[in-house]
Every structure is written in C-alpha cells, then in structure tokens.
C-alpha cells in the first residue's frame, strides 16, 4: 500500500492514458505551468491542490476542530466538486475564489498531513485520468498518485521568489498580504510538507528537477514540453539554473 492509503498500482490501471505529473512546493508556479502544458497538448488538467483547499474550506465552514483528524475526514473526505470552464463548484456554489484565500491555503497545508484524508482524496484524483491525457500538479502526483507517469517534474524556486510571486497573485485578486508574512508562511508550509509522514514532498524517482527561479512562465512551460517531446529516460535531471550556479533552489 502507498502512503496515501492506496496501492501504487491503482494509479496505473489507466496506463494507456498518458500522464505528466508536476510536483513542487507552494507558489512554485506548478499550477500555471501545468495548466498551460495541458492546454498546449490538448490534455485534461488536474489541480490536486484545489481538492485540499476544498476540504479546508468545508472544514472551516463546518466549525470542526482542524486538529481532530476524524472530524476533518468526516466532513471533508467526501467532497464532490465539479470543474468546468476554469471554475470550481462545490455543493452548488462557485468557490473558485474562496479557496484561494490565504487562510484556506494555510489550513489545507495543515490538514493535508492527515493520512485518512489523503486516502479519501486519492481516488478522486486518479479518476481524472482520462483520454487523451492528463497533466496533474500537486505534491505527490509522481510519488504516490501517478507513479507510472510518462514524465515526472519537480518544479521549485527560491523561497524569496515564490513569496514575491504569491504576493503579486494575491494583490491582483484583491487579497491583503505582505511579502515578509508570505515568506514566513511559505517556509512553514515547506517544512510541514517535507516532514509529514504521509506522502512527504520530494522529487519522484527519475523526475526532472526544474528550478524556475530565473525562468519565465513561458520558458518553464517550454522546458516541460521539450522534456515530454524527448520522453526522457530514468535518472534525475536538473534544469533552469542561473548561469554559473549549481542548480540548487
């Protein structure tokens, strides 16, 4: 059994349908990159992080103690959202913007450590694997959910650049935020994601490790599409580094 509570083979049953798995820390740009790669290929797109944000939103609205794992799973483990036209609907309400609030994101990171919740959401994620193909982004797409993905990418960037990117996104959406607060929150989330027992954040075996600190979104998308075109073999690779650096984020 995998750390998400389901056998890795479960993610391979639809093996005829191609998958590109893009994992990475908070605000690394993986969602934007994955969505654009999916559009370029004409494939389906899965934003797995939105599922945990939906679970967090339901947890907040239910009033249950987020530290009570059983209660969280009881109210959030059976969400059934619909995705259409870039919008997310939960129980008849468009919650596309509500789940992007920083408070929801922080709680999503907190409850994502609950193994039973990860197991409950695993099947919902794997069900998105449909023809002609799927580009999935998250934190355990290549390690747990789709271990047989055709291409596995681990997208990262420095904490400072990620904080600045997230600040820009939030301000554009009308949310109040400061870079120092976001930087502190990102570092806390990184530590929590990497240290959790269930599906910790890490590059999948054979993943392309892509540092986007000095890359534009277009350059990052192009790098992923080129890697897909080449259908690279096993073995970790590192790309996107600033000239003269070692490629460390």
């Amino acid at each position: 059994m995998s750390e998400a509570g389901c056998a890795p083979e479960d993610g391979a049953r639809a093996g005829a349908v191609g998958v590109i798995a893009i994992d990475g820390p908070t605000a690394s740009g993986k969602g934007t990159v994955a969505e654009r790669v999916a559009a370029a290929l004409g494939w389906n797109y899965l934003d797995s992080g939105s599922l945990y944000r939906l679970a967090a939103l339901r947890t907040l609205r239910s009033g249950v103690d987020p530290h009570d794992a059983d209660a969280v799973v009881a109210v959030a483990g059976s969400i059934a959202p619909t995705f259409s036209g870039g919008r997310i609907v939960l129980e008849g309400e468009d919650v596309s913007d509500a789940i992007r609030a920083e408070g929801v994101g922080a709680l999503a990171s907190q409850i994502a450590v609950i193994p039973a919740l990860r197991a409950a959401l695993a099947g919902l994620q794997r069900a998105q694997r449909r023809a002609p193909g799927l580009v999935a982004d998250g934190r355990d797409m290549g390690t747990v959910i789709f271990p047989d993905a055709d291409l596995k990418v681990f997208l990262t960037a420095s904490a400072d650049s990620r904080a600045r990117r997230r600040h820009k996104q939030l301000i554009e959406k009308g949310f109040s935020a400061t870079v120092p607060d976001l930087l502190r929150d990102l570092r806390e989330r990184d530590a929590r994601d990497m240290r959790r027992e269930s599906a910790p954040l890490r590059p999948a075996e054979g993943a392309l490790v892509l540092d986007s600190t000095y890359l534009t979104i277009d350059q990052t998308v192009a790098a992923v599409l080129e890697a897909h075109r080449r259908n690279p073999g096993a073995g970790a690779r590192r790309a996107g580094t600033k000239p003269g650096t070692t490629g460390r984020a």
Side-chain angles (χ1 to χ4, degrees), residues 109-192:
S109 176
Q110 179 181 332
I111 64 176
V113 305
I114 302 174
L117 180 62
R118 301 195 72 85
L121 297 181
L124 186 58
Q125 294 171 76
R126 291 184 176 124
Q128 306 307 308
R129 187 174 193 169
R130 301 187 302 269
L134 175 69
V135 181
D137 84 76
R139 288 170 175 74
D140 62 351
M141 296 296 97
T143 56
V144 175
I145 304 300
F146 302 111
D148 66 324
D150 302 88
L151 173 63
K152 301 174 185 178
V153 177
F154 190 83
L155 183 61
T156 187
S158 70
D160 286 342
S161 67
R162 289 187 286 130
R164 290 193 298 271
R165 292 173 186 175
R166 176 51 58 87
H167 181 260
K168 183 175 182 292
Q169 292 172 345
L170 291 173
I171 295 302
E172 289 175 348
K173 290 180 178 294
F175 293 112
S176 175
T178 67
V179 172
D181 286 345
L182 290 172
L183 181 59
R184 181 174 58 252
D185 180 62
L186 286 177
R187 286 172 172 163
E188 291 175 353
R189 292 195 203 183
D190 287 350
R192 187 160 52 236

Side-chain angles (χ1 to χ4, degrees), residues 46-146:
L46 167 63
D47 170 11
S48 69
S50 67
L51 299 180
Y52 288 95
R53 286 175 174 268
L54 286 164
L57 182 65
R58 178 177 275 185
T59 298
L60 281 171
R61 290 181 172 180
S62 69
V64 303
D65 182 356
H67 296 95
D68 185 337
D70 290 339
V72 170
V73 174
V75 301
S78 59
I79 57 173
T82 57
F83 302 85
S84 178
R87 308 302 292 176
I88 304 174
V89 176
L90 181 65
E91 297 171 344
E93 177 189 355
D94 185 336
V95 295
S96 307
D97 295 327
I99 65 171
R100 299 302 169 186
E102 277 299 289
V104 174
L107 182 57
S109 176
Q110 179 181 332
I111 64 176
V113 305
I114 302 174
L117 180 62
R118 301 195 72 85
L121 297 181
L124 186 58
Q125 294 171 76
R126 291 184 176 124
Q128 306 307 308
R129 187 174 193 169
R130 301 187 302 269
L134 175 69
V135 181
D137 84 76
R139 288 170 175 74
D140 62 351
M141 296 296 97
T143 56
V144 175
I145 304 300
F146 302 111

